[in-house]
Amino acid sequence: MTAIFLHYHQQPYDPTVITEYLQKYLSQAPTGFEEEELPTFFAQHVALETVYHLRLGAYYDLIIPFLHDTSNYHNPISAARAMAASNTEACQQELMAVIADTTRDGFIQVMCVFSLGEFHPASLKEELEALVPNVSAAFNDFGGNIMDPRVCTSLPSVKKALEKLIADL
């Protein structure tokens, strides 16, 4: 958290601790919610969000297993966000594949659209337009209950997120 705070305030931070932490937890297989897995799950979640906030593109290969983890709802969401740090053709194609996969959760697809949007991928405009008729127009939310502080967070449908991205290109 200190490194993220310093980063957003344009101040230097020591990357050594961050590098060690990210290597340790992102090198492990994605974990779930079993009681013995929770400490690693939370550490991996922090690692993925750290990559996102610090825009650390060097971890792309370690993020991919989390993007494709279908056993845990949170892993691909944070991985999709972390992908915003890696503006490469391979990354763009990975994000496109998730957006095009109608079996994937809409929330995850919206995160992929948001990350892809950060790259301003004008060269993908036609491919993105071709996806619009097939993506979901269903409402997306965090789920949970009224006591969850994220309950009022609004997310667009995959279709609306994709249409906005296309319009911005």
Side-chain angles (χ1 to χ4, degrees):
M1 291 304 300
T2 300
I4 293 169
F5 177 87
L6 292 171
H7 171 76
Y8 281 122
H9 289 87
Q10 292 81 43
Q11 296 177 21
Y13 61 89
D14 180 6
T16 306
V17 172
I18 301 296
T19 300
E20 290 171 3
Y21 186 87
L22 297 178
Q23 284 293 334
K24 177 179 179 180
Y25 289 106
L26 295 180
S27 295
Q28 298 177 41
T31 58
F33 293 119
E34 298 300 323
E35 189 162 339
E36 68 278 359
E37 295 176 305
L38 283 177
T40 302
F41 164 75
F42 288 122
Q44 288 175 329
H45 182 73
V46 167
L48 290 166
E49 290 296 327
T50 299
V51 168
Y52 169 76
H53 286 286
L54 298 181
R55 295 300 199 255
L56 300 172
Y59 297 93
Y60 172 77
D61 290 333
L62 296 176
I63 294 168
I64 294 298
F66 293 89
L67 183 66
H68 295 294
D69 179 27
T70 57
S71 67
N72 180 325
Y73 183 73
H74 299 279
N75 286 337
I77 291 171
S78 290
R81 287 170 46 84
M83 299 285 275
S86 301
N87 188 4
T88 65
E89 186 175 332
C91 179
Q92 290 179 20
Q93 290 306 310
E94 284 287 343
L95 293 168
M96 289 286 291
V98 173
I99 297 164
D101 183 352
T102 58
T103 67
R104 296 299 297 263
D105 183 270
F107 192 114
I108 296 163
Q109 290 177 302
V110 168
M111 292 300 109
C112 288
V113 171
F114 287 172
S115 288
L116 188 61
E118 293 196 31
F119 305 146
H120 309 287
S123 64
L124 296 175
K125 187 172 183 174
E126 287 182 24
E127 289 179 62
L128 292 165
E129 289 171 336
L131 295 176
V132 173
N134 301 316
V135 297
S136 174
F139 175 75
N140 284 301
D141 68 357
F142 282 93
N145 62 44
I146 194 68
M147 297 308 293
D148 188 326
R150 302 169 295 181
V151 74
C152 293
T153 302
S154 175
L155 286 175
S157 68
V158 180
K159 184 177 287 274
K160 288 211 181 288
L162 201 50
E163 289 171 340
K164 179 171 181 346
L165 172 57
I166 292 165
D168 290 347
L169 297 176

